[in-house]
Amino acid sequence: MSCSAPAGPPAAPFWEMLSLLAQEPGMEWLELGLAGQAATFPRGSRGAACRTQAVAHPGASRRCGERGVGLAGKEFNCPRKHSLGPWPLKTLSLLECSGDSRLWQAYLEGLKKFLVFRKSMGMPAAWPIPEEQVRGFLAMESLNSSSKTLVYVSALSYLSKLTGNPDPLVDPITHCMMTGLKRRAGILRDKYLPITIEVLRSLLGALETVCITHYECLLFRALFTVAFFGALRIGEMVAKHHDVQQPELLYLSDLQLTERRVAICLHNSSVGQERHVISLGLSGEPWVCPVLALRSYVTVRSPLEGPLFMHSDDRTVTKREFLTVLRWALRLLGLCPEQYGVHSFRLGTAITAARCGYAGEDITRLARWPCVIPERS
């Protein structure tokens, strides 16, 4: 299903975020884009001034459309770098598809908090964002949560670049403040060690000793390999508690298994009605292949619909059980269980991908992180 702009006032986080941004000074071009109007430039002009031209689009926002009518046909300063092209809403819709709804919700929250901070401090509305505003916002928000603050300032960085303004995080002092926040959040220190491909190989071998039944061995082999190669979040694989509703939990019907590939449809990474799909292929190393592991597990699993990863008595695997088996296996390998956690698989995925030469942007997309990529050797 294709992504499209909302038919009424923007309700999705991405569109609400842009609507807020469009009210900022110098953002008339964005306001017009949200109203479905394109900025046009005189032939041969570098874009010191532009005129607006209405562009018919069934998804144009009613609220922004009403405001954009007053700007239609008028001239205002609009550098060519701000042009969204002849179909601005389609351009913005594709931008929405570049991230998932959780990312845009976090960015929307970050923008709202920044605007509240700026107003409370009596600071002027200005883009590019002045350095002292970013530093002040960093310092204030860091009193609450370092990890959330990192996401909030990443939102300011993204929106600045989106609107053709300099990245406010490039400033040396701000960069050092960000480094301090990363250390405090545990991103730049060894709070948890990664489960790399080498550790995964050993863990799968240890399962044959740790697990009591053959079924449990196949179950946790599938869990561990999919956790690593799919970079899945713990809440997508196992339940926090028994008999508790968990919307993001994967079900058997979310799995499409063929001879050479497996597709996993996620619940909580949607953009509009479109679901995020993780596709895994056969590995050249059968011992760690997630397709073979899932095929073996599904063969013995009950065919009844329910959570994807279940015990032989149809009980859902819980987070506590996942960690218990993981820690037993680590202890058997002579590794310290306290140095590993539920996020160690995704962290190991990112580090292994970096070793294989994947670009940082690809790794961030794979792990579905909003911003920071761990830098470890």
Side-chain angles (χ1 to χ4, degrees), residues 9-235:
F14 179 81
W15 299 94
E16 186 179 349
M17 176 180 68
L18 292 189
S19 294
L20 274 178
L21 189 61
Q23 299 172 31
E24 292 290 286
M27 301 293 180
E28 294 89 349
W29 60 274
L30 179 57
E31 183 177 351
L32 288 163
L34 290 170
Q37 300 178 51
T40 59
F41 300 86
R43 187 169 298 179
S45 167
R46 290 187 175 273
C50 65
R51 295 182 64 84
T52 62
Q53 174 183 342
V55 178
H57 194 291
S61 161
R62 188 187 315 122
R63 183 171 64 192
C64 291
E66 291 169 354
R67 298 175 60 188
V69 167
L71 293 172
K74 294 185 178 180
E75 289 191 359
F76 57 89
N77 289 333
C78 177
R80 188 179 291 274
K81 64 183 178 181
H82 289 328
S83 175
L84 293 172
W87 302 103
L89 280 172
K90 291 184 178 179
T91 301
L92 293 173
S93 293
L94 288 174
L95 285 175
E96 181 189 17
C97 291
S98 68
D100 64 35
S101 59
R102 287 168 46 138
L103 172 64
W104 302 133
Q105 184 62 52
Y107 277 14
L108 171 61
E109 185 179 346
L111 177 60
K112 285 181 175 179
K113 284 185 174 289
F114 172 71
L115 296 178
V116 170
F117 163 79
R118 191 182 65 187
K119 183 177 180 180
S120 67
M121 299 298 292
M123 295 176 170
W127 292 76
I129 305 174
E131 295 169 353
E132 62 272 13
Q133 292 188 12
V134 180
R135 295 172 190 168
F137 180 63
L138 263 170
M140 181 67 70
E141 284 299 316
S142 66
L143 299 175
N144 302 317
S145 169
S146 298
S147 56
K148 283 189 176 181
T149 303
L150 289 170
V151 178
Y152 294 161
V153 294
S154 292
L156 300 182
S157 173
Y158 172 82
L159 292 174
S160 293
K161 290 183 283 188
L162 175 67
T163 55
N165 290 301
D167 185 352
L169 305 187
V170 174
D171 167 65
I173 295 179
T174 304
H175 178 75
C176 289
M177 292 177 70
M178 289 284 289
T179 301
L181 276 174
K182 292 173 188 177
R183 292 190 183 281
R184 186 188 295 178
I187 293 172
L188 295 184
R189 67 169 183 257
D190 290 333
K191 184 176 181 180
Y192 289 114
L193 294 178
I195 291 177
T196 60
I197 186 66
E198 295 82 7
V199 176
L200 178 65
R201 292 190 187 104
S202 300
L203 281 175
L204 297 180
L207 287 178
E208 298 181 4
T209 302
V210 169
C211 296
I212 298 175
T213 66
H214 180 61
Y215 180 95
E216 294 289 305
C217 186
L218 294 178
L219 167 63
F220 283 95
R221 171 178 282 272
L223 265 169
F224 287 180
T225 53
V226 172
F228 181 85
F229 287 100
L232 294 179
R233 299 185 173 107
I234 188 67

